Amino acid sequence: MNYDAALDRAINRLHDEGRYRTFIDIERRQGHFPNAIWTRPDGTEAEITVWCGNDYLGMGQHPEVLAAMHEALEATGAGSGGTRNISGTTVYHRRLEAELADLHGKEAALVFTSAYIANDATLSVLRQIFPGLIIYSDALNHASMIEGVRRGGGEKRIFRHNDVAHLRELLAKDDPAAPKLIAFESIYSMDGDFGPIAAICDLAEEFGALTYLDEVHAVGMYGPRGAGVAERDGQAGRIDIVNGTLAKAYGVFGGYIAATAKMVDAVRSYAPGFIFTTSLPPAIAAGAAASVRILKEAQELRDAQQLQARILKMRLKALGLPIVDHGSHIVPVHVGDPIHCKMLSDMLLEHHGIYVQPINFPTVPRGTERLRFTPSPVHDAGSIDRLVKAMDTLWRQCALNRAEGVA
C-alpha cells in the first residue's frame, strides 16, 4: 500500500469538503484576556479579541487562582510524579476532590485529566460494576459519552434528543429487572439548549434507573454556587453521577465525577482510564480547587456573563442574523455551509481582529455549520460593538440570508 498517497487522500478529502481544521497560534496575556496576540503564518503579530474560548468567566487569570498555583508549584515542583495509586496523590488532589464533592452535595468526587476521560472511563466501566446494564443515551450526547458507552459493550438505547416520550418508550420495552442508566447533558454546547433534567429524573425513578449527567458547560455558570443546571433547577440530589470539567468556567484543567462514596470507589478501582494515567500536576489541582471555591460565592460573575450573552443575542437578532437562542450563555450563529463558515471565520480574524473558530462536521451535523460565540464578563461594550458591526458588514458583503432565528 502507498501510505503517503492514502494520507494525501484523507487530508485532501477534508480540504475538498471545506472542513480541514487549522490551528490559530494565539498567546493569552495575563490580565488582558479576552485580548490576545495572534502570530500569523508569516510570523507577524496582531492583537485580537478571543470570542470562542471556554474560559467563560475569565477565571484563568484570576489572581487567587494564580497565587494558589504558584504556591503549589514552589512547594512541590512541576509534576505529580505518578498515577494516583503510585505516588501521584497529594494533599492538593484531596483538597480539590473535597471541594468538588461539597460543590455537588455528594459524598465523594474523583478527578481525571479531562472531562472527556472522565466520561469515557466511567461510562465504559459501569457494565463491569453492574452486569447487564442497559444505557439510554441522548442522541446528541458528547463524543466522550458516546465513546464510553460504545467501549463498555452491552446493550444501549439511543433516544431522540431531549425527547422524554421516546425515552419512556425505550425504557418500557426493556426488562423491568435489568439495571439501567440514563446518560444525558444539562447544556448541549453546540446549540446551547438545556436537557429536561426533572422529567428524565422522574422517568429514572419510575423505571429504577441511575442518572448520569454531564454538566461540563454548566459547572461554575449556573446554580447559586455554580454546581450547574441541576442545582439551579433543584434537581441535584436526584443525579447519581455528575460529570464536570475544570477547564471551562473554572479556567484551569482537568475533569471529574461526583457521586456516592461507593460509586466513586468502584470507578476508581475498575476504570483503566483512571488507574493507568498520571495524575494532574499539584499546581493544576491547587488552581482548580481555588477556582471552584471562589465561584461558589461569585454570583456577580455569573450574572455579568449572562447579561453579556443577552446583549449579544439581542443585537445580533436585531440585525436579522440567524442565531440559535435557547436561553443559555452560548451564542451560535447558523451559517449552514462549511466553506462559508470557514471563510467568515478567516475574514473576522484577518480584517477585524475577531477570533471565532468555525464549527463544522463531525462536531455538528452537515448543513448546520455555525460560528459559536462565548461572551464573558471581560468582553466589554466596545468589544461587543466591534463584533456586531463586523458581523453585519460580513453578512452583507457575503450576501448571506438573514432571518429572525433558526432555533
Side-chain angles (χ1 to χ4, degrees), residues 361-385:
F361 179 84
T363 307
V364 294
R366 297 179 195 274
T368 69
E369 292 82 6
R370 69 204 58 187
L371 299 173
R372 177 180 173 274
F373 297 95
T374 53
S376 76
V378 291
H379 285 94
D380 59 22
S383 61
I384 291 177
D385 197 50

Side-chain angles (χ1 to χ4, degrees), residues 51 56 301-315 328-329 331 374-384:
W51 273 100
Y56 293 135
L301 280 178
R302 286 186 279 277
D303 290 343
Q305 197 282 333
Q306 291 287 334
L307 176 61
Q308 298 295 68
R310 287 196 299 272
I311 290 171
L312 181 58
K313 289 176 185 177
M314 178 183 67
R315 295 197 60 185
S328 74
H329 62 283
V331 185
T374 53
S376 76
V378 291
H379 285 94
D380 59 22
S383 61
I384 291 177

Side-chain angles (χ1 to χ4, degrees), residues 97-109 213-216 218-220 222 225-231 235-239 241-246 250 256-259 292 296:
E97 287 172 342
E99 286 284 0
L100 292 167
D102 172 74
L103 173 69
H104 291 286
K106 302 298 184 187
E107 293 177 348
L213 180 64
D214 180 308
E215 289 259 33
V216 161
V219 288
Y222 296 85
R225 299 201 309 156
V229 179
E231 181 192 39
Q235 304 296 314
R238 306 176 76 188
I239 302 300
I241 306 173
V242 60
N243 167 278
T245 185
L246 303 165
Y250 293 117
Y256 64 89
I257 61 166
V292 172
K296 287 176 181 177

Side-chain angles (χ1 to χ4, degrees), residues 154-173:
E155 294 294 320
K156 67 176 183 292
R157 312 281 185 257
I158 309 302
F159 61 93
R160 290 186 293 271
H161 177 53
N162 281 350
D163 190 333
V164 178
H166 187 219
L167 174 58
R168 169 182 280 281
E169 287 177 24
L170 296 174
L171 286 162
K173 288 178 182 178

Side-chain angles (χ1 to χ4, degrees), residues 31-108:
H32 297 281
F33 187 75
N35 296 324
I37 300 300
W38 168 41
T39 301
R40 298 185 180 94
D42 64 5
T44 59
E45 294 183 345
E47 185 169 300
I48 62 170
T49 302
V50 178
W51 273 100
C52 59
N54 288 330
D55 185 358
Y56 293 135
L57 300 176
M59 293 301 291
Q61 59 182 342
H62 194 287
E64 291 183 47
V65 173
L66 300 183
M69 296 181 74
H70 281 296
E71 184 274 330
L73 181 65
E74 293 301 321
T76 67
S80 70
T83 66
R84 288 293 295 275
N85 292 315
I86 305 176
S87 79
T89 295
T90 70
V91 64
Y92 300 101
H93 297 87
R94 291 297 194 192
R95 287 174 185 168
L96 174 56
E97 287 172 342
E99 286 284 0
L100 292 167
D102 172 74
L103 173 69
H104 291 286
K106 302 298 184 187
E107 293 177 348

Side-chain angles (χ1 to χ4, degrees), residues 104-128:
H104 291 286
K106 302 298 184 187
E107 293 177 348
L110 191 65
V111 172
F112 294 77
T113 50
S114 72
Y116 187 109
I117 298 298
N119 270 334
D120 183 21
T122 303
L123 287 167
S124 66
V125 82
L126 288 177
R127 287 194 179 98
Q128 292 182 48

Side-chain angles (χ1 to χ4, degrees), residues 63-354:
E64 291 183 47
V65 173
L66 300 183
M69 296 181 74
H70 281 296
E71 184 274 330
L73 181 65
E74 293 301 321
T76 67
S80 70
T83 66
R84 288 293 295 275
N85 292 315
I86 305 176
S87 79
T89 295
T90 70
V91 64
Y92 300 101
H93 297 87
R94 291 297 194 192
R95 287 174 185 168
L96 174 56
E97 287 172 342
E99 286 284 0
L100 292 167
D102 172 74
L103 173 69
H104 291 286
K106 302 298 184 187
E107 293 177 348
L110 191 65
V111 172
F112 294 77
T113 50
S114 72
Y116 187 109
I117 298 298
N119 270 334
D120 183 21
T122 303
L123 287 167
S124 66
V125 82
L126 288 177
R127 287 194 179 98
Q128 292 182 48
I129 300 168
F130 305 109
L133 180 70
I134 304 171
I135 296 180
Y136 303 79
S137 179
D138 188 286
L140 293 189
N141 275 344
H142 190 265
S144 58
M145 301 173 77
I146 294 170
E147 182 64 12
V149 172
R150 185 195 66 79
R151 287 203 311 109
E155 294 294 320
K156 67 176 183 292
R157 312 281 185 257
I158 309 302
F159 61 93
R160 290 186 293 271
H161 177 53
N162 281 350
D163 190 333
V164 178
H166 187 219
L167 174 58
R168 169 182 280 281
E169 287 177 24
L170 296 174
L171 286 162
K173 288 178 182 178
D174 285 319
D175 181 356
K180 302 174 179 67
L181 178 139
I182 305 170
F184 62 112
E185 300 184 35
S186 63
I187 297 180
Y188 292 83
S189 64
M190 290 302 109
D191 281 343
D193 58 330
F194 294 93
I197 298 175
I200 287 178
C201 287
D202 288 344
L203 284 181
E205 290 179 3
E206 181 181 348
F207 289 93
L210 296 170
T211 50
Y212 185 104
L213 180 64
D214 180 308
E215 289 259 33
V216 161
H217 289 273
V219 288
M221 302 291 293
Y222 296 85
R225 299 201 309 156
V229 179
E231 181 192 39
R232 183 198 70 178
D233 294 350
Q235 304 296 314
R238 306 176 76 188
I239 302 300
D240 293 296
I241 306 173
V242 60
N243 167 278
T245 185
L246 303 165
K248 290 184 170 61
Y250 293 117
V252 190
F253 183 75
Y256 64 89
I257 61 166
T260 63
K262 284 184 180 179
M263 184 74 77
V264 167
D265 193 22
V267 171
R268 77 164 188 91
S269 299
Y270 279 88
F274 176 81
I275 295 169
F276 298 106
T277 299
T278 298
S279 65
L280 289 180
I284 297 294
S291 187
V292 172
R293 184 179 66 253
I294 292 164
L295 284 182
K296 287 176 181 177
E297 300 179 353
Q299 186 60 39
E300 70 282 357
L301 280 178
R302 286 186 279 277
D303 290 343
Q305 197 282 333
Q306 291 287 334
L307 176 61
Q308 298 295 68
R310 287 196 299 272
I311 290 171
L312 181 58
K313 289 176 185 177
M314 178 183 67
R315 295 197 60 185
L316 292 176
K317 281 182 180 179
L319 295 174
L321 268 61
I323 78 163
V324 180
D325 184 5
H326 292 287
S328 74
H329 62 283
I330 294 166
V331 185
V333 179
H334 184 267
V335 178
D337 178 271
I339 295 174
H340 289 163
C341 201
K342 178 66 166 63
M343 178 182 67
L344 285 167
S345 172
D346 289 345
M347 294 171 75
L348 282 167
L349 183 64
E350 293 167 9
H351 304 311
H352 300 276
I354 291 168

